[in-house]
Amino acid sequence: MPMLHALRTLLIAVAIITLAPLARAAEEVDLLLVLASDVSRSVDQAKFQLQREGYAAAITDKRVLEAITAGRMRRIAVAFVEWSGVTSQRVVIDWTLIDGADAARKFSDQLIELPRSFAERTSISGGIDFSMGLLARAPYEAPRRTIDVSGDGTNNSGRDVTLARDEAIAKGVTINGLVILSERPMPWNPEHTNPPGGLAEYYRTNVVGGPSAFVVVAEDFNSFGQAIVKKLIAEIADLSFPKRLLPGG
């Protein structure tokens, strides 16, 4: 009887092993990239369109696609997030594999069509923390992880943005910044969009970090489009951003 019981146990174990689904390794890409876009109250409709249309056009740009397909795996994974107040973050487009023009075009079309998520306060720290959670559950693996934060103001909601930044860097994530300048300060809070030393310097000091991290400034629609293309190429190809394109460079 003991031998029969042992044999039955062995057969059950074999059946479980045979029927159990094999664990599949996550698909590898060259880069996990979160595009984290500010949609707080200070972001008017023109700035909102600037970000949406700028990213939509950039992801399909021939130069960006060439950078993507020049990588070892010839593909990256991208997610698009909109953020505002401390509890207001939303995945607009979840993780998407970009491996050529068709995939890029589908991502771009979605981005143009989907509605705006929020219009509240500005929690850059909340946007970074949310993006970190998104990176943690990505269905792909990559040697590099980057959060691309675009915004037009300082952190005024949630925890200290430098703490969020430092925790992300400690986990090997790079944060780059794209600053959208405001010609006229907000009358009720002028230092939000125009802090002492300028918003670009605020981002350099408090928001960006990690290997080859950089800040790019967009002054208008034309400069935004060119800046985001060059920025994506630098992120995808893991290059240092040309200093001549940085304020004060």
Side-chain angles (χ1 to χ4, degrees), residues 34-38 81-86 88-89 122-136 146-150 155 157 159-171 173-177 202-203 206-209:
V34 179
L35 304 175
S37 179
D38 179 3
V81 168
E82 286 183 340
W83 55 271
S84 183
V86 65
S88 301
Q89 302 91 27
T122 306
S123 180
I124 303 174
S125 56
I128 291 173
D129 290 340
F130 185 82
S131 298
M132 288 297 292
L134 194 58
L135 285 168
T146 297
I147 300 172
D148 189 335
V149 179
S150 63
N155 192 78
S157 177
R159 68 176 181 140
D160 188 330
V161 65
T162 60
L163 294 178
R165 185 267 315 274
D166 292 346
E167 288 178 13
I169 294 171
K171 293 179 179 178
V173 174
T174 296
I175 301 175
N176 294 322
Y202 175 87
Y203 261 63
N206 301 282
V207 179
V208 307

Side-chain angles (χ1 to χ4, degrees), residues 18-38:
T18 302
L19 295 174
L22 295 175
R24 296 179 61 186
E27 186 172 357
E28 191 176 353
V29 296
D30 290 308
L31 172 69
L32 289 175
L33 177 62
V34 179
L35 304 175
S37 179
D38 179 3

Side-chain angles (χ1 to χ4, degrees), residues 204-220:
R204 283 198 203 92
T205 303
N206 301 282
V207 179
V208 307
S212 303
F214 52 80
V215 175
V216 181
V217 172
E219 299 178 355
D220 53 36

Side-chain angles (χ1 to χ4, degrees), residues 90-238:
R90 175 173 170 254
V91 177
V92 178
I93 302 179
D94 211 341
W95 288 111
T96 302
L97 194 69
I98 307 293
D99 57 0
D102 289 343
R105 193 179 308 110
K106 289 177 183 177
F107 186 93
S108 176
D109 290 346
Q110 278 187 279
L111 202 53
I112 293 295
E113 294 169 1
L114 292 167
R116 178 172 178 156
S117 302
F118 310 105
E120 300 171 15
R121 300 194 74 189
T122 306
S123 180
I124 303 174
S125 56
I128 291 173
D129 290 340
F130 185 82
S131 298
M132 288 297 292
L134 194 58
L135 285 168
R137 70 166 183 79
Y140 305 100
E141 291 200 0
R144 295 182 291 119
R145 296 174 296 159
T146 297
I147 300 172
D148 189 335
V149 179
S150 63
D152 78 333
T154 60
N155 192 78
N156 64 14
S157 177
R159 68 176 181 140
D160 188 330
V161 65
T162 60
L163 294 178
R165 185 267 315 274
D166 292 346
E167 288 178 13
I169 294 171
K171 293 179 179 178
V173 174
T174 296
I175 301 175
N176 294 322
L178 189 138
V179 170
I180 304 168
L181 297 185
S182 301
E183 292 182 5
R184 292 182 295 276
M186 296 190 307
W188 65 90
N189 186 8
E191 291 192 355
H192 174 56
T193 55
N194 298 75
L199 189 60
E201 186 58 34
Y202 175 87
Y203 261 63
R204 283 198 203 92
T205 303
N206 301 282
V207 179
V208 307
S212 303
F214 52 80
V215 175
V216 181
V217 172
E219 299 178 355
D220 53 36
F221 281 88
N222 291 330
S223 66
F224 185 95
Q226 291 303 309
I228 194 60
V229 166
K230 292 182 174 67
K231 187 171 187 287
L232 285 176
I233 291 171
E235 288 167 335
I236 293 164
D238 195 21

